[in-house]
Amino acid sequence: YYKNKKAVLRKNYSNREVQFQNPAYHDLLTEVFGTYLFEEKADTLYKVLVSPKAWRDMNNHLSLNEMYFEKEFREYFLILNLYKLFYKQPIYQRSILRVLQSAKKADISSNSKIIIGNIIRKSGSLVQGIPVKNFNLYNQYKEQISLSDFRGKFVYLSFFTKDSYTCEKDIVLLKELYE
């Protein structure tokens, strides 16, 4: 199984230009190889993931393999695998964000920096213990309330429309939970 994946990766991806603007390229690479590195090199990469110099160490380790000689592909492939691991292994989320933040400061391609910035923006607020940005909404009485008004309390946001049967059922359930 892995030999076939290696052959596909070597033939179609690793020695070719990274197609950053091609969604099909990204989707296929993500779907087929999204956690490949952490399956193939699990012992080494999981240990390195929690180290302060994880990006540099992972990058150096991968550069020893002929499939990852091309720097931009190696960066992209490592970023892609970290992104997939973020959602597959929540225990590593903080470590992965730390690795990506350090990678953004490293000598990487501008495309890789853009991707990392997008991942951090998208995923960074999903980690337990990381504060959510404050925002304001209007309640049912047309009073403006702020998320910070509920600091330390459980907050459940539900957006609905009055014309939806499903939304009506959700409202009934929320009222029951509240009571």
Side-chain angles (χ1 to χ4, degrees):
Y1 179 68
Y2 285 121
K3 288 183 181 181
N4 290 341
K5 278 190 170 184
K6 282 183 181 179
V8 170
L9 190 62
R10 188 178 295 117
K11 182 178 179 186
N12 298 299
Y13 291 100
S14 64
N15 294 319
R16 297 182 182 204
E17 183 178 336
V18 177
Q19 298 178 26
F20 289 103
Q21 304 303 321
N22 184 341
Y25 174 92
H26 173 78
D27 291 346
L28 181 63
L29 198 58
T30 302
E31 194 60 39
V32 178
F33 301 105
T35 56
Y36 179 72
L37 289 178
F38 288 93
E39 293 166 2
E40 182 191 57
K41 303 183 177 297
D43 293 342
T44 305
L45 295 180
Y46 279 114
K47 287 177 189 172
V48 172
L49 186 60
V50 295
S51 79
K53 297 178 182 175
W55 176 262
R56 186 202 66 195
D57 294 345
M58 286 182 189
N59 203 11
N60 288 344
H61 181 74
L62 292 178
S63 70
L64 301 174
N65 186 317
E66 68 180 69
M67 285 196 324
Y68 311 110
F69 277 161
E70 206 283 311
K71 182 181 182 289
E72 194 166 62
F73 176 76
R74 183 174 59 245
E75 292 171 2
Y76 181 69
F77 199 61
L78 184 53
I79 293 165
L80 177 95
N81 275 259
L82 288 167
Y83 178 70
K84 285 291 278 191
L85 187 66
F86 182 89
Y87 291 100
K88 189 174 182 182
Q89 296 285 339
I91 193 167
Y92 293 109
Q93 288 179 336
R94 283 179 178 234
S95 296
I96 291 168
L97 285 175
R98 190 178 63 250
V99 170
L100 291 173
Q101 287 165 342
S102 71
K104 200 170 176 188
K105 298 173 188 169
D107 180 28
I108 61 173
S109 74
S110 59
N111 286 320
S112 293
K113 286 185 182 194
I114 291 169
I115 293 169
I116 289 172
N118 290 338
I119 291 171
I120 291 170
R121 259 189 311 285
K122 177 182 176 187
S123 306
S125 62
L126 300 177
V127 177
Q128 185 177 1
I130 293 182
V132 177
K133 290 183 181 176
N134 193 34
F135 59 89
N136 297 319
L137 294 172
Y138 289 95
N139 65 13
Q140 70 270 30
Y141 307 111
K142 297 183 180 169
E143 302 166 335
Q144 189 174 23
I145 55 172
S146 174
L147 180 62
S148 62
D149 296 341
F150 300 95
R151 188 173 312 278
K153 297 179 182 173
F154 178 79
V155 175
Y156 177 85
L157 295 176
S158 180
F159 298 91
F160 63 92
T161 177
K162 293 178 182 179
D163 302 334
S164 167
Y165 176 77
T166 306
C167 291
E168 280 185 41
K169 291 293 182 189
D170 284 349
I171 292 170
V172 170
L173 178 63
L174 287 173
K175 282 183 180 178
E176 288 174 8
L177 285 173
Y178 180 74
E179 294 168 356

